[in-house]
Amino acid sequence: MASRVALKVGGKGKKSGKGGRGGEGKSRTECLKEWTDWSLHKAKVIAHYGFIPLIIVIGMNSDPKPQLYQLLSPV
Amino acid sequence: MAGFPPPGATILGDAAAGKKIDEVGKKKVDYFNLPCPIPFEELQREAIMSLKPELFEGMRFDFTKGLNPKFSLSHSVFMGPMELPSQGAETLKIPTAHYEFGANFIDPKLMLIGRVLTDGRLTARVKCDLTDDLSLKANAQLSNEPNMSHGMVNFDYKGKDYRTQLQLGDGSLFGASYIQSITPHLSMGGEVFWAGQHLKSGVGYAARYENDKMVATGQVASTGMVAMSYVQKVSEKVSLATDFMYNYLSRDVTASVGYDYILRQARLRGKLDSNGCASAFLEERLNMGLNFVLSAEIDHKKSDYKFGFGLTVG
């Protein structure tokens, strides 16, 4: 970040970053790729922990509404 | 599989009966009103249902509790040896036991099925009808281990006498398929897929001919697979099926013959393979909601004998 500011004083962060890609860390495409990887990873974690609770919530709110004890009892 | 009433049941005599048979036989086919075909991935479903039941080894207990006509929970316990893929001729088996909890929500427009194992692996299936003709299907297997999760999304469009499907999977997997009814009994289709991660792509063609008594299918793919199947419905309770699979790249061939008895209280499926494998699967209804399951698979070539039993409640 510090080197980007030094190269183009007063210019916007992202634009100068793309222009001065040669010696620096991240470019726009790499940022985009990192962002999609991060969001896919978060979506996977949310799906992993939240899918079964989601089915249970949708099921408990459907008609005819079942009681809470029916969720746990084996009868 | 429509049934026509038997012709000739008139009191006018043989000549009139003959003429009526002729009229029924020459009934004009309306090529603009053909029935919608079976989805491409279910092309061989009769053969697969008869010849490939879910054989297992060990003990299985399934309990399904319905809270609602649409919502149910399931608990499943399995104890038995699990096969590991091994390079050599010997089969490696490790005894495992697991408990699986599942929740199902089944609505005409939305179907959600989720199963989670004790080791944290989740199997999720979603089917949603976005409009009358367009439906979305997704399935995923998520696990806590890195790089062991997979997912796939399908978009299905149903036309008047055709169906198309677009498939997107993780690891840049793309697939598309199309199937069209050619006559009231014959449907043909093709598929194309591209797997980015493994750098493989392929094209396949398939055809299916069915009438009241039999179903014959054939499938060819550029991955080297040639598969044909034939199922004959001998009577209301008995079906016989045969299957032939040949890979022209790896010169692998498998043929199998099987039967499927659907009786009032039981369903028995048996199969004999060209790999020296004989298997049988029995599901017997002991009482309302109580089913007893027996599975046997004897592989003479590898000397691998698998027997399983189980109980399904609800």
Side-chain angles (χ1 to χ4, degrees):
Chain A
M1 277 297 184
S3 56
R4 214 182 276 170
V5 169
L7 267 178
K8 298 255 167 107
V9 176
K12 285 196 180 155
K14 269 241 165 95
K15 276 191 190 157
S16 62
K18 193 179 173 195
R21 209 197 322 176
E24 292 171 338
K26 298 179 186 176
S27 74
R28 246 174 150 176
T29 45
E30 278 183 33
C31 264
L32 188 66
K33 189 170 179 304
E34 265 189 41
W35 186 84
T36 45
D37 279 346
W38 175 88
S39 59
L40 267 177
H41 180 75
K42 289 297 173 205
K44 185 220 157 215
V45 172
I46 291 173
H48 200 165
Y49 285 104
F51 190 71
I52 298 239
L54 172 78
I55 301 180
I56 292 179
V57 161
I58 292 179
M60 293 300 275
N61 286 334
S62 65
D63 293 315
K65 219 163 158 177
Q67 303 289 320
L68 197 57
Y69 72 88
Q70 282 180 307
L71 203 60
L72 296 170
S73 85
V75 169
Chain B
M1 287 204 180
F4 294 109
T10 67
I11 51 171
L12 293 174
D14 280 344
K19 187 174 173 222
K20 200 164 178 186
I21 290 172
D22 262 358
E23 277 173 5
V24 167
K26 286 183 194 157
K27 183 176 160 148
K28 201 164 150 55
V29 172
D30 186 357
Y31 284 100
F32 290 103
N33 271 332
L34 292 171
C36 204
I38 305 268
F40 191 87
E41 67 259 12
E42 288 177 31
L43 207 74
Q44 300 196 341
R45 69 173 176 198
E46 279 89 0
I48 290 178
M49 277 197 322
S50 295
L51 293 172
K52 300 189 166 105
E54 282 178 14
L55 300 166
F56 61 96
E57 181 178 15
M59 188 216 76
R60 202 177 88 178
F61 178 72
D62 294 322
F63 174 58
T64 305
K65 183 179 146 89
L67 281 84
N68 215 341
K70 298 181 190 176
F71 177 50
S72 58
L73 297 174
S74 80
H75 307 266
S76 170
V77 175
F78 173 78
M79 293 185 211
M82 294 283 274
E83 243 179 71
L84 289 183
S86 81
Q87 307 297 335
E90 272 188 22
T91 41
L92 281 179
K93 292 192 188 184
I94 293 192
T96 50
H98 62 67
Y99 163 73
E100 186 187 63
F101 173 72
N104 311 326
F105 179 74
I106 298 176
D107 195 41
K109 292 220 154 185
L110 175 68
M111 182 181 89
L112 298 167
I113 294 182
R115 299 263 180 279
V116 67
L117 286 165
T118 38
D119 54 10
R121 267 185 293 158
L122 173 77
T123 304
R125 277 175 50 197
V126 176
K127 178 177 179 295
C128 176
D129 286 340
L130 300 170
T131 74
D132 267 342
D133 297 324
L134 182 65
S135 81
L136 165 84
K137 286 199 288 198
N139 55 36
Q141 277 196 316
L142 306 173
S143 106
N144 282 325
E145 293 165 40
N147 294 339
M148 290 290 283
S149 309
H150 311 286
M152 182 135 59
V153 175
N154 296 347
F155 292 97
D156 294 311
Y157 181 75
K158 183 174 80 167
K160 193 151 172 286
D161 56 1
Y162 66 91
R163 282 186 201 252
T164 62
Q165 184 188 74
L166 177 68
Q167 216 175 45
L168 302 164
D170 78 312
S172 36
L173 172 73
F174 296 101
S177 73
Y178 176 80
I179 183 162
Q180 164 89 47
S181 277
I182 313 277
T183 78
H185 299 292
L186 177 68
S187 51
M188 298 176 83
E191 69 168 345
V192 87
F193 74 90
W194 184 73
Q197 233 172 36
H198 308 275
L199 291 175
K200 277 202 285 196
S201 66
V203 178
Y205 303 101
R208 176 183 162 108
Y209 181 84
E210 65 177 305
N211 67 24
D212 283 353
K213 297 262 171 186
M214 52 77 96
V215 174
T217 69
Q219 216 168 353
V220 183
S222 70
T223 50
M225 180 204 52
V226 172
M228 296 188 285
S229 79
Y230 179 80
V231 179
Q232 171 88 29
K233 193 168 158 185
V234 173
S235 82
E236 277 303 315
K237 300 186 179 190
V238 181
S239 286
L240 296 175
T242 165
D243 178 82
F244 176 80
M245 179 127 65
Y246 173 57
N247 191 325
Y248 57 78
L249 292 176
S250 69
R251 303 282 176 190
D252 222 351
V253 70
T254 304
S256 61
V257 170
Y259 62 86
D260 187 354
Y261 281 100
I262 303 182
L263 309 169
R264 238 179 332 122
Q265 307 273 57
R267 181 171 184 183
L268 177 60
R269 288 175 264 189
K271 175 183 92 165
L272 186 58
D273 224 330
S274 67
N275 293 333
C277 191
S279 69
F281 192 80
L282 168 71
E283 288 155 296
E284 173 132 7
R285 204 186 74 160
L286 297 177
N287 208 344
M288 182 70 195
L290 189 66
N291 286 343
F292 179 60
V293 177
L294 279 176
S295 156
E297 188 180 352
I298 298 178
D299 194 337
H300 294 285
K301 220 162 156 186
K302 292 193 231 165
S303 290
D304 186 16
Y305 312 114
K306 299 190 205 164
F307 298 97
F309 67 97
L311 210 55
T312 304
V313 182

